[in-house]
Amino acid sequence: GFLPLQGHIVRNWKVRWFVLLQDKLLYYKIEGGKKEPSPKGRILLDGCTITCPCLEYENRPLLIKLKTKTNTDYFLECCSREERDSWALDITGAIHAGHPVQVQELHRMKNSFKLLENISLHDIVERMYDSSTGIKLTRNLDQGNRYKETFTGSALVDWLISNSFAVSRFEAVTLASMLMDENFIRPVGVRSTAATRSSDPSEKFLDDSTALYMFAESSKKNTSSKEEVHFNISELSGKIVKQGFLVKQGHKRKNWKVRKFVLRADPAFLHYYDPTKEENKPVGGFSLRGCLVSALEDNGVPAGVKGNVQGNLFKIITKNDIHYYIQASSKAERVQWIEAIKPLT
């Protein structure tokens, strides 16, 4: 699949097509919407160590770090926490494929539940407040409101694991729930607030990238949707239905670029981002109301499509008659995207 990779010499980010084999991770360059035949590079997994979650880059919270036995660091970025954890699990399995005892131990730790003895919630909160190593506070959108100094549920879970307060996500959720019960943190926004009314204690805190929380001492600071932003704040406040990397044809130059697509409902919008850029702002997007979405046959290149494309094409036509040509990585992924978009049109 597509993943942004940081360069070794020039420390910029490039999107590459990754293929995981039993002993190595290959990555390919995409030119003109098609994967080049020879790998651009390879990461040998023998003796490799993996760090996930990796919180070394503040603006890229969904990183996987691989350190080879020659001490070369590779940083790979994923689209969602679920995708990151799936890649990390598969890569970890490949690293330890020849050591079944280690694989069993990793699975046992992943599913374990044993909080640290004599754990101090006050110490955790003090560490969370640390300006350099604490949890990163960001502005977030929820139901048309912009909240300052918040963090998401999944970000707190990542932080607790990376700082060795918990081994598994289940342990981290339990710790986060304790912090909320003791009024160190509190939910803000619709999703996290609604979860607190659940009768199941394990569901009161959400390990979710759309559930917002803040320190209980912080005042609720939000601004109305009238605040000037590049994109209307209301169109970015819908619930995320699906997200992933797709290849999109440009409108002017007709070249093909990998973009991170985010599909939202209520209101229904599809936005796309440049994954090589540091700022997490859309470079384009449109309302799905009145749109038409359909798969394009792979036998021949349809009119309007330029370049030697890989295939798995689909087209979205907006109500203003703007045509978007998009490539998925497989026929199955194309079907998933079309089925997710259609009900929102």
Side-chain angles (χ1 to χ4, degrees), residues 292-309:
L292 297 174
V293 57
S294 60
L296 297 175
E297 296 301 326
D298 293 337
N299 51 344
V301 179
V305 175
K306 306 295 182 182
N308 187 16
V309 299

Side-chain angles (χ1 to χ4, degrees), residues 306-335:
K306 306 295 182 182
N308 187 16
V309 299
Q310 189 84 15
N312 307 311
L313 281 165
F314 64 99
K315 177 171 69 173
I316 301 175
I317 306 175
T318 70
K319 64 180 180 180
N320 297 325
D321 200 34
I322 299 174
H323 292 226
Y324 290 87
Y325 294 98
I326 302 168
Q327 291 184 68
S329 60
S330 66
K331 283 184 169 61
E333 186 183 47
R334 176 174 67 179
V335 169

Side-chain angles (χ1 to χ4, degrees), residues 73-86:
D73 291 340
Y74 292 88
F75 292 93
L76 289 64
E77 186 182 33
C78 297
C79 240
S80 64
R81 196 262 297 166
E82 292 77 14
E83 183 190 45
R84 181 199 64 189
D85 291 352
S86 176

Side-chain angles (χ1 to χ4, degrees), residues 18-19 37 87 89 111 129 133 145 148 163 199 208 230 237 345:
F18 280 83
V19 177
W87 269 104
L89 184 63
N111 299 312
Y129 269 109
T133 60
N145 289 322
K148 297 180 179 179
N163 284 272
S199 58
D208 192 289
H230 291 295
S237 65
T345 60

Side-chain angles (χ1 to χ4, degrees), residues 46-311:
D46 180 41
C48 202
T49 58
I50 182 170
T51 303
C52 179
C54 173
L55 306 181
E56 291 191 25
Y57 289 86
E58 180 178 344
N59 294 329
R60 296 180 180 271
L62 298 172
L63 289 179
I64 296 171
K65 179 181 178 180
L66 297 174
K67 181 183 282 292
T68 67
K69 64 180 181 182
T70 58
N71 288 324
T72 303
D73 291 340
Y74 292 88
F75 292 93
L76 289 64
E77 186 182 33
C78 297
C79 240
S80 64
R81 196 262 297 166
E82 292 77 14
E83 183 190 45
R84 181 199 64 189
D85 291 352
S86 176
W87 269 104
L89 184 63
D90 290 340
I91 293 171
T92 301
I95 291 173
H96 299 287
H99 307 280
V101 175
Q102 285 182 284
V103 175
Q104 291 176 4
E105 178 65 14
L106 287 166
H107 280 286
R108 186 194 67 76
M109 290 176 63
K110 182 177 181 292
N111 299 312
S112 72
F113 181 74
K114 184 182 179 182
L115 290 174
L116 297 173
E117 294 182 7
N118 302 319
I119 195 164
S120 167
L121 297 182
H122 288 277
D123 290 344
I124 293 176
V125 174
E126 188 174 333
R127 287 274 297 277
M128 287 175 67
Y129 269 109
D130 189 281
S131 59
S132 59
T133 60
I135 192 162
K136 305 303 179 185
L137 303 179
T138 60
R139 296 186 177 192
N140 283 288
L141 300 174
D142 188 275
Q143 297 293 309
N145 289 322
R146 171 168 286 185
Y147 295 91
K148 297 180 179 179
E149 297 184 337
T150 60
F151 46 87
T152 66
S154 58
L156 178 54
V157 170
D158 284 349
W159 185 87
L160 289 169
I161 294 172
S162 66
N163 284 272
S164 302
F165 289 115
V167 172
S168 66
R169 300 195 79 83
F170 186 67
E171 285 183 12
V173 167
T174 303
L175 259 184
S177 299
M178 293 166 63
L179 291 170
M180 195 164 61
D181 289 341
E182 296 299 321
N183 203 34
F184 288 110
I185 64 174
R186 66 184 183 87
V188 292
V190 175
R191 290 211 67 206
S192 54
T193 303
T196 61
R197 295 190 285 271
S198 172
S199 58
D200 187 344
S202 65
E203 297 178 358
K204 291 183 181 295
F205 179 89
L206 298 178
D207 179 7
D208 192 289
S209 60
T210 62
L212 302 183
Y213 298 88
M214 62 168 42
F215 289 115
E217 293 180 1
S218 304
S219 59
K220 181 179 177 181
K221 301 175 183 178
N222 58 7
T223 56
S224 72
S225 58
K226 295 180 181 179
E227 181 176 348
E228 184 178 351
V229 290
H230 291 295
F231 280 82
N232 189 313
I233 203 169
S234 63
E235 69 183 65
L236 293 169
S237 65
K239 179 183 177 182
I240 294 177
V241 176
K242 186 174 178 60
Q243 56 186 327
F245 296 111
L246 298 167
V247 188
K248 174 187 167 294
Q249 181 179 260
H251 289 298
K252 296 179 180 178
R253 297 179 61 191
K254 303 299 182 184
N255 56 348
W256 292 88
K257 296 287 187 181
V258 177
R259 294 290 181 250
K260 174 186 173 182
F261 280 80
V262 178
L263 176 63
R264 293 181 172 90
D266 300 322
F269 275 83
L270 184 63
H271 292 96
Y272 47 96
Y273 301 71
D274 186 345
T276 67
K277 304 297 184 186
E278 290 295 335
E279 63 273 11
N280 189 30
K281 295 179 181 178
V283 294
F286 51 92
S287 170
L288 290 172
R289 295 302 180 196
C291 285
L292 297 174
V293 57
S294 60
L296 297 175
E297 296 301 326
D298 293 337
N299 51 344
V301 179
V305 175
K306 306 295 182 182
N308 187 16
V309 299
Q310 189 84 15

Side-chain angles (χ1 to χ4, degrees), residues 6-61:
Q6 187 184 59
H8 293 298
I9 300 173
V10 180
R11 309 298 282 180
N12 57 353
W13 295 83
K14 298 288 186 183
V15 179
R16 298 290 181 245
W17 176 261
F18 280 83
V19 177
L20 177 62
L21 304 179
Q22 187 171 4
D23 60 345
K24 64 178 75 73
L25 190 58
L26 305 179
Y27 53 94
Y28 297 78
K29 189 176 180 181
I30 301 293
E31 280 293 338
K34 189 172 183 180
K35 182 189 76 173
E36 291 191 337
S38 300
K40 179 77 173 176
R42 66 193 68 218
I43 304 172
L44 300 179
L45 298 178
D46 180 41
C48 202
T49 58
I50 182 170
T51 303
C52 179
C54 173
L55 306 181
E56 291 191 25
Y57 289 86
E58 180 178 344
N59 294 329
R60 296 180 180 271

